[in-house]
Amino acid sequence: GSRAEKERFVRSVRHADELPAGNWPALWEALGTAAYEPRLVWEPSELAALHDACGRELAELEQQHAIARAAGGRAAAAGEAEWEGGSFRVKYPPVEAEAYVAPYYLGPLVKALSGRRSEAEGCGPPVPPGFVAAVGAACAA
């Protein structure tokens, strides 16, 4: 949706006490902005993948709560069906298609180092001669 729609949604949702406070409008704006930078590759179209993954995760957690409640009441549900956030992963095919060597995506890094100095700032030490060509050849292989 449009930025105005997102802002209306953010204002209409009451902040739940269990959620961390934050600048949620800025998050939604950032998620709606494409980025192709050495440290960040993102397409706003990937919001659908995030939405679907969160929906599946929530449905699974609700199912676990229902099973735990049926097996032993509310106390069992609270103890047996806690969300394992550390194992939650979302696959973003366009992002996964980029070659990544922590902490950089090689495609945008090569682009930045090939002459766009403003994008290359903060990407580490000076590049040795022939490095960009070698990385480009490796990425093309």
Side-chain angles (χ1 to χ4, degrees), residues 16-106:
D17 292 335
E18 65 272 11
L19 292 175
N23 189 346
W24 296 103
L27 172 67
W28 290 116
E29 183 175 338
L31 290 173
T33 305
Y36 192 73
E37 301 168 11
R39 290 186 186 233
L40 176 64
V41 173
W42 178 256
E43 283 294 326
S45 61
E46 293 307 305
L47 277 173
L50 176 60
H51 182 269
D52 292 346
C54 289
R56 285 189 305 273
E57 191 77 4
L58 183 57
E60 183 179 319
L61 184 61
E62 288 172 349
Q63 180 182 24
Q64 290 173 3
H65 279 178
I67 291 169
R69 277 192 302 275
R74 196 161 186 72
E80 293 178 25
E82 292 185 18
W83 184 55
E84 298 290 331
S87 64
F88 179 65
R89 298 284 183 267
V90 180
K91 293 187 179 217
Y92 303 104
V95 175
E96 290 181 348
E98 291 288 335
Y100 181 75
V101 177
Y104 301 111
Y105 290 95
L106 297 183

Side-chain angles (χ1 to χ4, degrees), residues 119-134:
E119 291 179 25
E121 290 178 15
C123 289
V127 179
F131 175 78
V132 173

Side-chain angles (χ1 to χ4, degrees), residues 133-141:
V135 170
C139 289

